[in-house]
Amino acid sequence: MTDEEKPFSLSRRSLLGGTAKVAALAGVGAAAGSSVTAFRSDTSEAALISRANAAEAGAKGVVAPGDLDDYYGFWSSGQSGEVRIFGVPSMRELIRIPVFNYCGATGWGTTNESKKILTEGLLPETREYLKDKGGMFLNGDAHHPHMSFTDGTYDGRYLFINDKANSRIARIRCDIMRTDKIIEIPNAADMHGMRPQKYPRTGYVFVNQEHRVPMPNDGSVLEDASKYRCVFTAVDGDAMEVAWQVLVDGNLDNTDCDYQGKYAFSTCYNAEQATDLAGMTEREQDWVVVFDIARIEEAVKKGDYTEMSGIPVVDGRKGSPYTRYIPVSNSPHGINTAPDGHYVAVNGKLSPTVTLLDVRRFPDLFDDKIEPRGAVAAEPELGLGPLHTAFDGKGNAFTTLFIDSQVAKWNMEKARQAYEGEEVDPITEKIDVAYQPGHNHTSMGETKEADGQWLVSLNKFSKDRFLNVGPLKPENDQLIDISGEGMALVHDAPTFAEPHDCIIVRRDLVNPLSVYSREDPMWEDARKWAEKDGVVLEDGSETVIRDGNKVRVYMYSIAPSFSLNEFKVKQGDEVTIFITNLDDIEDLTHGFTLTGYGVAMEIAPQATSSVTFVADRPGVHWYYCQFFCHALHMEMRGRMMVEPKSG
Amino acid sequence: MTDEEKPFSLSRRSLLGGTAKVAALAGVGAAAGSSVTAFRSDTSEAALISRANAAEAGAKGVVAPGDLDDYYGFWSSGQSGEVRIFGVPSMRELIRIPVFNYCGATGWGTTNESKKILTEGLLPETREYLKDKGGMFLNGDAHHPHMSFTDGTYDGRYLFINDKANSRIARIRCDIMRTDKIIEIPNAADMHGMRPQKYPRTGYVFVNQEHRVPMPNDGSVLEDASKYRCVFTAVDGDAMEVAWQVLVDGNLDNTDCDYQGKYAFSTCYNAEQATDLAGMTEREQDWVVVFDIARIEEAVKKGDYTEMSGIPVVDGRKGSPYTRYIPVSNSPHGINTAPDGHYVAVNGKLSPTVTLLDVRRFPDLFDDKIEPRGAVAAEPELGLGPLHTAFDGKGNAFTTLFIDSQVAKWNMEKARQAYEGEEVDPITEKIDVAYQPGHNHTSMGETKEADGQWLVSLNKFSKDRFLNVGPLKPENDQLIDISGEGMALVHDAPTFAEPHDCIIVRRDLVNPLSVYSREDPMWEDARKWAEKDGVVLEDGSETVIRDGNKVRVYMYSIAPSFSLNEFKVKQGDEVTIFITNLDDIEDLTHGFTLTGYGVAMEIAPQATSSVTFVADRPGVHWYYCQFFCHALHMEMRGRMMVEPKSG
């Protein structure tokens, strides 16, 4: 009998099975039942200690006007499609970075520069689908923002983020906080879990397909789920191209990797390969899939793969030398590597347990010296609905309990001792959160420099925690001080639909520019057009070039004026407007809004932005600067005059 | 010599003229020069008092986790096109309300319900322009959010907001915090200043055209600015239709109205009727235009108007019985009626003065018993770049000084005394703000219930006040405690591009629903389709109706599942999906994301949402709930199977 086929009976697993499942199904009822009044009228010792801690920690969470936050928080925004920068500990949203969304303020989805990024990485069949829809998706579902690593810690180069809705991965340049590459993942669907390689550097960005689909998904297979496929993908984060893929069993959920550069691993559910809820949760058991990076690279080198859409796809289904499937209870969710470099926490979701794997045992696992369950170092029972775990770098872990609406603090070494039969309780403390936490994150907590200062619990429901704003409520991202003995709630931060995850990065590791370099590749195309037209963008050239029915308008901006006060085109002309912001002062962004044409874009200091449209509407259309720039900002404008078609 | 032709020599006008203009032009240099270091190292008595006040007021600005804010703040978002709800005094952004933007999270711009609102109020020529562009504008420039009034104070029914980019006015229902009407204003362009009628109720929403354009703007007139026109518009806020328009001289900027229901008034610049900056600012003098509402209504009744696009347009140019033009210095900007019901502050912008008009003198003004300048009650010199004024309801006014980066607190009665020759200084205090303030607003400050608790200064530049987030910086909306003798800075709140204005509403006046009524008109069309198809949305019907190549799919959602686990259509079918959320629990919003199709929408508790698309892509496409709803949320999904076209 293999490890996997055994009934679950390990002494400390404490899988509640059916009970937990019932509780999970009732989870929303629990969410509805609690309330802020109940929360504050709780006079239990735990609640009183928690409130006392909060009062003491309050001062630590205050960032006075004019003072700077200690950390950059990078927040995903779920179906809003953007990335947000927060300040921690103030929990103020500092800025939005457009990614998978349409942003009228910055012109993301309007400018030629952004359209190129939003379209060039799409697959041919997607281009075909979008060709009469403006060529772009306007939505995305951004879940997991993670920074690039060098030697196990953040290096300030890039952020990466997935789009579950339209199967894409995006990269954000941290020098300018703008997305520079978006690619759609071939041979896959519905990208979910995503993490960058920690060591030696990023390197790879690992990403999970969540939903199994036929490959190719061209309609030749429809109902027969046994023919659906799921792949694990390694993206080359430097080239932003897919390096290789690995075919797996089940549905992949979240992913992480080690601090040694050897393994990646994903939670994997639906061992049943079903297509409905009852079927997917029928069995008591699913897996963690471990990927041996060196073996997979070797397989690609020696040709042990099938090529699909030009990508080497290695077969990593059960029994493959490239993967191992470690049995865990039904439907595990989050997976998080501890800063100690040894432990990996696998969160039970439908089981009240977290399974702690020890990566030091993975070589033996791949050499078949141990059974898959032999990689398990601990499996503490923490409470109902464990979803994600974060770390303080001092051996403690913090696990969100969705159904219990709590965060459990527990000690990994004690959990190992308990798993080995010692009489110790690994749980140190539980704190109530409001309500139903999903992801959580600690300051620097997914790096080897985890510093144990702050924990954010991203709670899915806010209900009565804020003024009622109508049927759609915000989420509630709570900031908790974990620097002392006890956890202390410091801030309730409302967030719009719907952050899934965040990271908290020490501020010295992030050093953005305030003024663009004129050499920035972002306006390489604009520069080429200017050269062709005998115009130099940087020297304040302003001119209108007619090229058949194509018109190129070059102008510059210096507060409070555009260099061109007016220009004239003919109805039906295809007009491209290039604007270079010659102001080189911090915070002096200009904008260009063309009224009645649905055109608006930002032009940051020393940037060039361009937009192309057909001048279909005759008459006088004013353009104006929509980023306040000067006492005479409202006077910064000009006229586009469109001569009507004769007849 | 009429009042208007006189050179400005009134004793207390103190118009700096040329000097102020030079300073204004240099404004951005001042912005660049200051810094947080300079701000905090300022040990002047004023600065120290300000900091001491801030320290004392700090506690008042803290809203502990679980406590509720005292006020709803409604913030515009400028070129982001949305409205935001803030909590005051915590300055937390509680939620976004989609209006003139595309919102992938809520499906605003995707659902049939939102598309109807975004398209039905457009003018025919705009529909024609947009017909191959998805039928909608995706951007807007939202400036001035204001709530409907009854008897001089907020009544919690509606919010109204303008779009300067595409000449629209939107209405938001405060029961559900969703936009229910958007209209494009005919015979006009580039709507800017906007305020609702205060008395007896809203009633009218007054709105200013900013840029002069030819009417009709069909290309028959292009360069000749002497033939351009500008109108003041009264929208019927109940019907959301234009009631009447008034032709004026110059460009209209901001607007407000009285507490008696008799007059509206707008700042008006470009008396020169020029089209460039030099021309527009050439003369030393512009106007406030006062509109006599009863006289205009009478003119409409008796037919003294020109009909344009079905709208009565009354001629209110200089010399008309319907308007009066009160001379003020060049380029006035904000105009704000004081809660006392008598004074109206006209902010000088290029002049360092605020002109205080007395509405009690307007009857004499219209009866030609006084010269236009006879309506002026005071004209204090406050500092460089006065843009907007707010009030505490105790006779004090707070004026933003853009160039000085300050807010000046001054007493209106003292200003009147000084204007009449007494030796009093109306200025009580100035506080530094960071940096370059535009609009400001006090708690309940534009109503007769102004309560003198809080002032928000919406500063256009933040520069070094927050962690550096790249070339595009946030604005800085600062909260100032005005309840005591001195003003005290409490919070620096970063905001995304780019709030122009806000209002602060006592929380007892706003009472939104948490769960929709099934009778809500928002899904009237869905209900009609269901009736036609023999389906009842509310009883959990689920069915797929084929009607030629049109397919209507009805399903419901109860956490954690959709009633339809799968459905099949043919490639090329026009598919409409109607989803009714049968959960009726607070905060239990579901979502529907169709992968690879660019489709996502929210379905709030007891709401119905629908989306129509062509099933162009063959194969298996999963749909899933993207608003976290349950421990088994990730399992809430189903399959759309698209049979490929044969051949």
Side-chain angles (χ1 to χ4, degrees), chain A residues 435-495:
Chain A
Y435 304 93
Q436 272 64 44
H439 276 274
N440 62 355
H441 210 89
T442 45
S443 44
M444 296 296 289
E446 66 169 2
T447 77
K448 68 176 185 184
E449 299 186 298
D451 64 11
Q453 292 298 307
W454 297 106
L455 170 71
V456 169
S457 175
L458 295 114
N459 306 313
K460 297 300 182 177
F461 294 83
S462 66
K463 295 192 294 180
D464 51 7
R465 299 288 286 188
F466 306 110
L467 288 178
N468 182 6
V469 291
L472 183 62
K473 317 285 187 209
E475 296 210 358
N476 184 11
D477 298 346
Q478 290 184 303
L479 183 71
I480 296 165
D481 181 358
I482 55 167
S483 64
E485 273 302 296
M487 293 184 279
L489 176 62
V490 171
H491 287 301
D492 273 30
T495 52

Side-chain angles (χ1 to χ4, degrees), chain A residues 24-25 28 36 40 65-69 71-72 79-80 82 84 92-96 102 104-105 126 129 133 137-139 141 164-166 176-178 190 192 210-212 217-218 222-223 228 253 269 275-277 280 333 349 402 460-463 465-474 490 492 494 497-498 512-514 516 565 568 587 595-598 616-620 622 624 626-632 634-635 637 639, chain B residues 24-25 28 36 40 65-69 71-72 79-80 82 84 92-96 102 104-105 126 129 133 137-139 141 164-166 177-178 190 192 210-212 217-218 222-223 228 253 269 275-277 280 333 349 402 460-463 465-474 490 492 494 497-498 512-514 516 565 568 587 595-598 616-620 622 624 626-632 634-635 637 639:
Chain A
L25 288 162
V28 80
V36 65
R40 307 196 84 213
D67 285 351
L68 300 182
D69 279 291
Y71 299 88
Y72 285 87
Q79 57 272 33
S80 291
E82 67 204 22
R84 301 167 189 159
R92 296 175 294 190
E93 185 188 302
L94 300 179
I95 207 84
R96 306 180 190 173
Y102 178 88
T126 303
Y129 170 68
K133 298 172 185 68
F137 288 117
L138 298 178
N139 79 310
D141 189 4
K164 180 172 163 182
N166 298 308
I176 55 172
M177 295 300 174
R178 282 286 173 269
D190 313 347
H192 182 225
E210 188 180 340
H211 301 139
R212 299 174 68 81
N217 192 11
D218 56 7
L222 288 176
E223 285 97 340
Y228 291 8
D253 192 354
Y269 65 102
T275 58
D276 61 0
L277 177 59
M280 285 185 192
H333 188 56
K349 191 163 88 170
F402 180 83
K460 297 300 182 177
F461 294 83
S462 66
K463 295 192 294 180
R465 299 288 286 188
F466 306 110
L467 288 178
N468 182 6
V469 291
L472 183 62
K473 317 285 187 209
V490 171
D492 273 30
E498 157 169 315
L513 302 169
S514 283
Y516 272 91
N565 193 45
K568 199 183 280 184
D587 207 359
T595 60
Y597 267 80
D616 283 332
R617 313 191 82 169
V620 176
W622 289 86
Y624 66 91
Q626 82 276 17
F627 280 86
F628 212 102
C629 62
H630 193 281
L632 289 168
M634 285 196 57
E635 286 77 6
R637 61 188 159 194
R639 291 177 294 169
Chain B
L25 289 160
V28 80
V36 64
R40 307 196 84 213
D67 286 351
L68 300 182
D69 279 290
Y71 299 88
Y72 285 86
Q79 56 272 35
S80 290
E82 68 205 20
R84 301 168 188 159
R92 295 175 296 189
E93 185 188 302
L94 301 178
I95 206 83
R96 306 180 191 174
Y102 177 89
T126 303
Y129 170 68
K133 298 172 185 70
F137 289 117
L138 297 178
N139 79 309
D141 191 3
K164 180 171 162 181
N166 298 309
M177 295 300 174
R178 282 287 172 269
D190 315 346
H192 182 227
E210 189 180 341
H211 301 138
R212 299 175 68 81
N217 193 9
D218 57 6
L222 288 176
E223 285 97 338
Y228 292 9
D253 192 353
Y269 65 103
T275 59
D276 61 358
L277 177 58
M280 286 186 191
H333 188 54
K349 190 163 89 169
F402 180 84
K460 298 298 184 176
F461 294 83
S462 66
K463 296 192 292 179
R465 297 289 285 188
F466 306 110
L467 288 178
N468 183 6
V469 291
L472 183 62
K473 317 286 187 208
V490 170
D492 272 30
E498 154 170 319
L513 301 169
S514 283
Y516 272 92
N565 193 45
K568 200 184 280 185
D587 207 359
T595 61
Y597 267 81
D616 283 333
R617 313 192 81 170
V620 176
W622 290 86
Y624 66 91
Q626 81 277 15
F627 279 87
F628 212 101
C629 61
H630 194 281
L632 288 168
M634 284 197 57
E635 287 75 5
R637 61 189 159 193
R639 291 177 294 169

Side-chain angles (χ1 to χ4, degrees), chain B residues 145-196:
Chain B
H146 292 282
M147 186 172 273
S148 54
F149 285 76
T150 296
D151 190 18
T153 195
Y154 298 133
D155 61 18
R157 289 183 295 133
Y158 295 119
L159 285 168
F160 299 92
I161 190 152
N162 69 300
D163 167 22
K164 180 171 162 181
N166 298 309
S167 304
R168 295 174 293 176
I169 300 297
R171 184 176 75 180
I172 295 165
R173 278 173 50 190
C174 293
D175 59 341
I176 56 172
M177 295 300 174
R178 282 287 172 269
T179 305
D180 81 327
K181 290 280 180 189
I182 299 179
I183 60 169
E184 186 180 0
I185 306 296
N187 313 324
D190 315 346
M191 299 296 108
H192 182 227
M194 192 210 76
R195 293 287 168 89

